[in-house]
Amino acid sequence: MLLSLSQSSARLYLQQLRWHHWPKNLLVFVPAIAAQRLYEPGVLMLALIGFAGMCAAASSIYLINDLIDLRHDRMHPVKRDRPLASGRLPIPQALALLPLLWGAVAVASIALSAAYAVVVVAYLALMVVYSVWLKRLRFVDAFALGAGYVCRLAAGAAAAGIVLAPTLAVWCLLMFASLAVLKRYAELAAHAQDGVADPGRSYHTQDLRLLERTGRLLGAVSLVPLALHPLLDRADHAWAAWAICLLLGVWMRWIWQAAVAARIDGDPVSFVLRDRASRHVGTIVASLLLILGAPAASAAQAGADDGAHPVSGIMRLQPYRQVERVQLADGPDAGATLQLVHLNPAANVWFVLSVQHARGAQSDYHLENPDPAQAVALGVGGALVLSIGDRRSVCMTGSPRAGSVLDQARRTGLPYAPVCEGRLYLRNAVRGSRTTLEATTQFLRDYVWRGEQIVGF
């Protein structure tokens, strides 16, 4: 008798916690999959802890929402059977669950990171505002719910210490906003005779067509950033990502057809769990995600081990460069350092002179040698020594003089300003010195997220 009562209470509490909605929190694993780090034991364990914390946080929001909507739920033909609305779960017992759930969230946050805690707190705050106010605003409620799913992605990224790709965030926002609109459509269609599907909502029967068009549009547009993601991130197994994109597109069309045909009773999650086609699509998508989460190919890994990493500047692209350095020990600019980089000693044409002043400021100058037979070296005291055979000359002695001479050449505005009596030229960045393609490429690299990948593509 006691065991039966305990099992009954456990089922009641699980029903109140909406445990069948916990699969939504599997989004926590998506950042690790996208980064191809799912199979790293440490990352997987962190993601599992993050998943458990998000399940507790989401269940606490469902509980708060049911407490706020208690009066409306008791008038709803379906929601009145929920544990709180039906009276099977007393309010004091429901309130006692909140500290336990938030305690679980705190434990997960302590085990993970401050970033994870910030994301979960932001999620809780957003969902409380949604329960109190946003869900009564037309279409704003759908985007608020979509933002809640973006928080799940961000929580997974914070848990595993991975940067969340904006393309995934945009996809998540739009797709789950579409599903939220679908839920409103299904609720409204199921109770169209009442004029309003749910007390406390602002949708009316005349909004059905608008809801359908908006939801379908959001679902279609959500596939665009998802399709772009493997291109911008240069991900392995791009075919699997595009296959998921195609499957989601077909599935979104299918579930909207089911909603229009009144085969969804108001809860898309329950429909998906019992719909055979949705389960098949979910199984295939899960399999593809397991492929996407695999580490990079061995050849790519070998290339990475050999030093094939993204470079930070033009210097790193010159494997045969030579560097000379001189530090001034005395004089008015004592402590300054001059560095001359021979970008390609075999060509003996391109040089970069860097003047690091003692006060911390640095100036860089791009020099070009018009005569490859002329050797260029950094001499004592910061002088540039130019030599052809036995003929040697010295120019720009010392860092203050070097800086002033080169700055004067820079102020001329000439694309190639002569220095050292015309034996060297300072290249200046002036209008017209770059092609439109070069200027566009540099802008993408400097100001656009994943600009380097866009340029390479």
Side-chain angles (χ1 to χ4, degrees), residues 119-175:
V119 172
V120 175
V121 169
Y123 167 79
L124 291 171
L126 174 64
M127 290 297 100
V128 169
V129 174
Y130 166 82
S131 298
V132 174
W133 176 43
L134 295 180
K135 69 180 180 181
R136 295 175 176 81
L137 303 179
R138 289 156 51 93
F139 295 107
V140 174
D141 60 342
F143 283 97
L145 289 174
Y149 288 97
V150 176
C151 288
R152 288 171 166 87
L153 280 182
I162 296 170
V163 177
L164 176 62
T167 46
L168 292 179
V170 174
W171 158 75
C172 185
L173 174 67
L174 296 177
M175 178 177 174

Side-chain angles (χ1 to χ4, degrees), residues 253-266:
R253 177 180 173 83
W254 164 258
I255 196 170
W256 268 104
Q257 287 178 340
V260 172
R263 289 190 284 119
I264 300 180
D265 59 4

